[in-house]
């Protein structure tokens, strides 16, 4: 018998949480559906190379048929998975201009997600991920609309991610501890391999695309240079950059340090999406004892005004993010 059967499965964990919250099971069902979408996406990603579905821009397969981009396929999977069960009234995605609304209009929650983060990594057999965030609707008596999605990060009721690496992992929080599960593909179950994840207090890496150096403000350049040269109050850091946010964040959560995607002089808002990337990971970071900032405000304190709003992101161990903010202030 495999040793890991001693770990709780995801449904055991939901059962425990539900009992302690006196909840009705809707949130657990949402999380369960997210993991179903994740298993389907993992399967797709795993087979992409064999089935000639590599390439960031889709393209044509060996039969000469047009192939959908993997991130579009992943988005479709989420739509299908949440069409079947009446637990979210709407779905917003990095892949869709506007929210997709379901027929079950009385559902209490909405879901926001980045279906396939780091999808460019598919060509190099690198890690990718899915990021998600759950909000309670403002008023179930009113029709679901954009306002239900344009929220403050601190209002999230659940958030997390799936990491498609050598193993598929599911990491989430419902506002309590952050738990990490590893998928046993052969039986299709997630096992609680990483209970109560917390950022380490020291060590780890700073993680940033240094090729953007010339595009940064002097303040950002100086701050990154301090990390590069080990002149920080939080201590010397190594450097790592996968180029897939979920993978870079997950490493930061396990090994410590800070992930950065700064704004640029010509693009002060940076690249990452507030609602689909920054805020959900900020919610996870906070509940793992970490911090997330846009350089001036905490990410969780920002209220979105646009669905596809971008934000600079500095996220990781609390002492590292505090050091970033201190250095940016000068
Ligand atoms: O979703 C945006 C994204 O692909 C992230 O996963 C990743 O961290 C980032 O872009 C990489 O950006 P760049 O190639 O500019 O470093
Ligand atoms: Mn992304």
């Amino acid at each position: 018998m495999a040793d890991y059967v001693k770990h709780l499965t995801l449904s055991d964990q939901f059962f425990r949480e539900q009992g302690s919250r006196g909840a009705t099971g809707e949130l657990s069902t949402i999380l369960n559906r997210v993991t179903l979408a994740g298993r389907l996406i993992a399967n797709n990603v795993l087979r992409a190379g064999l089935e000639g579905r590599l390439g960031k821009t889709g393209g044509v397969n060996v039969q000469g048929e047009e192939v959908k981009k993997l991130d579009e396929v992943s988005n479709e999977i989420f739509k299908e998975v949440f069409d079947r069960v009446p637990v979210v009234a709407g779905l917003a995605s990095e892949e869709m201009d506007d929210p997709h609304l379901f027929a079950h209009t009385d559902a209490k929650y909405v879901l926001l997600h980045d279906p396939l983060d780091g999808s460019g990594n598919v060509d190099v057999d690198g890690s990718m991920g899915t990021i998600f965030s759950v909000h309670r609707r403002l008023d179930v008596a009113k029709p679901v609309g954009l306002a239900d999605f344009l929220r403050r990060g601190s209002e999230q009721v659940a958030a997390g991610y799936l990491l498609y690496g050598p193993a598929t992992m599911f990491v989430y929080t419902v506002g309590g501890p952050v738990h990490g599960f590893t998928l046993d593909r052969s039986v299709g179950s997630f096992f609680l391999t990483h209970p109560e994840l917390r950022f380490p207090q020291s060590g780890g890496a700073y993680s940033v695309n240094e090729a953007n150096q010339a595009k940064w403000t002097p303040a950002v350049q100086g701050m990154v240079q301090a990390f590069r040269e080990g002149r920080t109050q939080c201590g010397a850091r190594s450097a790592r950059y996968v180029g897939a946010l979920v993978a870079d964040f997950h490493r930061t959560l396990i090994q410590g340090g800070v992930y950065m995607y700064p704004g640029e002089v010509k693009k002060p808002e940076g690249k990452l999406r507030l609602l689909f990337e920054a805020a959900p990971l900020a919610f996870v970071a906070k509940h793992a004892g970490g911090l997330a900032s846009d350089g001036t405000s905490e990410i969780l304190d920002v209220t979105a005004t646009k669905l596809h709003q971008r934000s600079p992101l500095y996220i990781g161990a609390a002492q590292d993010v505090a050091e970033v903010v201190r250095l940016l202030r000068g």
Side-chain angles (χ1 to χ4, degrees), residues 24-259:
T24 57
E26 275 158 286
L27 197 51
S28 301
T29 305
I30 293 172
L31 295 170
N32 217 358
R33 294 309 270 183
V34 168
T35 69
L36 172 62
R39 276 170 287 167
L40 293 165
I41 293 170
N43 221 20
N44 247 282
V45 164
L46 190 76
R47 308 191 59 80
L50 289 171
E51 293 173 357
R53 291 188 292 124
L54 298 183
K56 229 173 147 180
T57 52
V60 173
N61 69 13
V62 282
Q63 279 90 31
E65 297 156 345
E66 199 155 304
V67 183
K68 270 201 177 166
K69 280 165 45 169
L70 276 175
D71 28 24
E72 282 168 15
V73 173
S74 306
N75 191 59
E76 292 301 315
I77 287 175
F78 262 87
K79 281 205 298 207
E80 284 290 322
V81 158
F82 281 97
D83 200 36
R84 301 274 180 272
V85 182
V87 282
V88 298
L91 190 67
S93 159
E94 194 177 301
E95 294 298 319
M96 302 186 287
D97 289 342
D98 302 304
H100 174 84
L101 306 181
F102 294 106
H104 31 264
T105 50
D106 51 348
K108 279 197 303 232
Y109 297 99
V110 293
L111 184 83
L112 297 93
H113 74 304
D114 177 356
L116 194 59
D117 171 69
S119 55
N121 258 3
V122 69
D123 284 358
V124 298
D125 202 14
S127 295
M128 285 164 277
T130 293
I131 308 171
F132 72 94
S133 157
V134 182
H135 277 277
R136 191 181 280 272
R137 280 171 61 191
L138 293 168
D139 185 351
V140 186
K142 293 194 182 135
V144 59
L146 195 56
D148 290 300
F149 297 90
L150 300 181
R151 307 287 285 279
R152 193 180 151 106
S154 56
E155 292 174 337
Q156 290 172 95
V157 295
Y161 57 87
L162 285 128
L163 172 62
Y164 312 115
T168 294
M169 286 197 67
F170 177 62
V171 175
Y172 81 99
T173 176
V174 288
V178 176
H179 295 307
F181 294 78
T182 305
L183 176 65
D184 180 340
R185 224 180 272 280
S186 59
V187 294
S189 293
F190 282 95
F191 289 90
L192 180 57
T193 48
H194 297 63
E196 303 193 16
L197 279 163
R198 309 282 295 176
F199 287 95
Q201 294 297 308
S202 61
Y206 76 99
S207 185
V208 65
N209 185 345
E210 303 227 30
N212 293 328
Q213 168 100 10
K215 301 177 194 161
W216 296 332
T217 61
V220 172
Q221 290 180 357
M223 178 275 292
V224 174
Q225 194 171 352
F227 272 88
R228 188 183 309 126
E229 295 171 0
R231 289 185 288 101
T232 52
Q233 287 183 2
C234 57
R237 298 283 177 262
S238 188
R240 292 283 187 278
Y241 192 71
V242 174
L245 176 59
V246 171
D248 281 313
F249 177 80
H250 186 70
R251 183 201 55 252
T252 307
L253 177 55
I254 303 289
Q255 297 188 336
V258 57
Y259 172 86

